[in-house]
Amino acid sequence: MSLTKEDVIAALERINLPDGRSLVAHDLLRALTVEGGVVRFVIEAPNADVAKAMVPLRDAAEKVVSELAGVTQVTAALTAHGPAAKPAAPPSLKIGGHPKPQDGPTKPSGVQRIIAIGSGKGGVGKSTVSTNLAVALAKQGRKVGLLDADIYGPSIPRMMGVNKRPASPDGKTIIPLKAHGVTLMSIGFMMEEGKATIWRGPMLMGALQQMLGQVEWGELDVLLVDLPPGTGDVQLTLCTKSELTGAIVVSTPQDVALIDARKALDMFATLKTPVLGLIENMSVFVCPDCGSEHEIFGQGGVASEAEAMGAPLLGTLPIDLETRLAGDSGTPVAVGDGPMAQAYARLAEGLIKGGMA
């Protein structure tokens, strides 16, 4: 039988702290990976002083794992979480309950603007645009938050390179995570990776209400909300229960995508949410070998739609291999300084100059 994470965890259960509870029971184990016979994990101490005292425990943990059948190499890193006297407990929140009654639209304390980023259909690169736009705004000095409201298919954890459970000091307040200068929250942080979220509408609305109202967002210039595709419960809840600054609609120039983008635009109009503008994604493919341009999904469809409805075309973004590779690796392309990073920088600059971010 091949070595599994469960085998390693079972071995580490035998490593006890002075109080008699195990390393695992204290929730000090992080980033455990098993690749063939190579095992890597992190022991996260509550502070630097405790970390120094835990060196023998780290050595004992490496030893007990190395004795497992099939293990060829063990690497255990010892880190300090922060100055707290004891490790932060994982959130004991029940995510996805029915929404709580509220008097009217609200906005998290300290958040100046909330912008919804939507699309009529999936596959147009909305989450890619959301993550890179958030990073680009942060690089220009804005305090930015990014809320992944795609409950069924959260992709922000992968795209932003974060795979960690947020802290909850009291079982009610959620401390968001940070990456690339952006404050983050996603249902993906709270659920087991690969586990399907099978919820009805009320649970979706309750989860969104929690991620908006129970997260300590802090002082933000703008909170971007990456919506799921379509025009369903999450969109309705956000538009009616939150003080939205407005919405941005992402689409490709393809006629099929534009049909659904028009539905998203109509939804925002029906819910009296201002449309700040449209973004045309995958507008053109530039051949890396010869430099020729190919309009794979058509030409100018989003620009025509923006003109027809009197909304600005905020930007056009080419389809680009570097963008896909960067998103899969957890470091958005906007972090760098290449052509795509510059394109997102221009998009961010336009939003800032327009007073939208």
Side-chain angles (χ1 to χ4, degrees):
M1 294 177 62
S2 59
L3 185 69
T4 67
K5 288 185 178 181
E6 288 71 22
D7 296 331
V8 176
I9 292 172
L12 293 174
E13 286 276 14
R14 304 201 299 269
I15 304 297
N16 291 331
L17 275 69
D19 65 358
R21 297 175 66 207
S22 73
L23 178 73
V24 177
H26 273 283
D27 191 34
L28 301 180
L29 187 64
R30 302 284 185 269
L32 171 61
T33 62
V34 177
E35 298 176 357
V38 179
V39 179
R40 299 183 181 90
F41 57 91
V42 174
I43 299 173
E44 186 178 72
N47 56 59
D49 291 337
V50 174
K52 292 178 182 178
M54 290 178 66
V55 171
L57 181 142
R58 187 270 314 276
D59 296 342
E62 284 188 337
K63 183 176 184 299
V64 74
V65 173
S66 68
E67 293 172 351
L68 291 174
V71 173
T72 59
Q73 179 183 340
V74 181
T75 302
L78 184 58
T79 65
H81 176 69
K86 59 182 181 179
S92 57
L93 295 162
K94 182 181 179 182
I95 295 293
H98 284 221
K100 304 292 188 297
Q102 60 184 66
D103 294 333
T106 62
K107 185 167 58 178
S109 175
V111 176
Q112 299 300 312
R113 306 169 188 85
I114 304 176
I115 298 178
I117 300 181
S119 66
K121 71 189 305 300
V124 299
K126 171 184 50 57
S127 294
T128 298
V129 170
S130 297
T131 53
N132 282 286
L133 181 56
V135 170
L137 286 167
K139 286 178 67 176
Q140 297 198 26
R142 310 306 283 172
K143 297 177 182 176
V144 185
L146 177 59
L147 171 58
D148 185 356
D150 193 347
I151 308 296
Y152 290 135
S155 53
I156 297 305
R158 168 60 67 88
M159 290 184 171
M160 294 296 281
V162 180
N163 183 19
K164 185 178 178 182
R165 198 171 174 87
S168 178
D170 56 6
K172 297 178 181 178
T173 303
I174 306 171
I175 308 301
L177 304 177
K178 293 182 181 291
H180 310 298
V182 180
T183 302
L184 302 170
M185 186 58 205
S186 169
I187 195 70
F189 298 143
M190 313 295 289
M191 310 294 284
E192 181 182 346
E193 186 175 5
K195 189 76 171 177
T197 305
I198 308 171
W199 288 350
R200 296 189 184 275
M203 296 182 71
L204 297 176
M205 294 183 284
L208 180 61
Q209 188 183 56
Q210 285 178 280
M211 290 194 294
L212 276 170
Q214 291 180 221
V215 171
E216 289 288 344
W217 289 107
E219 297 293 326
L220 296 180
D221 294 309
V222 60
L223 173 62
L224 303 182
V225 182
D226 181 34
L227 292 172
T231 56
D233 290 318
V234 171
Q235 290 86 340
L236 179 62
T237 299
L238 184 70
C239 292
T240 57
K241 301 297 184 181
S242 302
E243 296 179 13
L244 281 183
T245 303
I248 294 173
V249 175
V250 178
S251 180
T252 65
Q254 186 180 11
D255 288 343
V256 171
L258 284 166
I259 289 172
D260 292 324
R262 293 185 189 106
K263 295 176 183 177
L265 292 167
D266 180 67
M267 174 195 68
F268 289 127
T270 301
L271 297 174
K272 296 181 173 54
T273 299
V275 175
L276 305 178
L278 286 76
I279 295 175
E280 182 174 278
N281 197 27
M282 308 182 195
S283 60
V284 65
F285 171 72
V286 180
C287 176
D289 297 322
C290 66
S292 61
E293 296 186 355
H294 303 271
E295 293 154 348
I296 299 174
F297 295 107
Q299 179 183 15
V302 178
S304 299
E305 192 66 28
E307 183 179 1
M309 66 171 295
L313 178 65
L314 300 174
T316 59
L317 300 165
I319 185 170
D320 176 74
L321 178 60
E322 182 188 4
T323 302
R324 196 273 295 172
L325 293 173
D328 285 349
S329 70
T331 303
V333 72
V335 172
D337 56 6
M340 287 303 298
Q342 294 169 17
Y344 278 105
R346 290 190 295 270
L347 184 57
E349 183 179 1
L351 291 177
I352 293 170
K353 287 183 176 178
M356 293 174 275

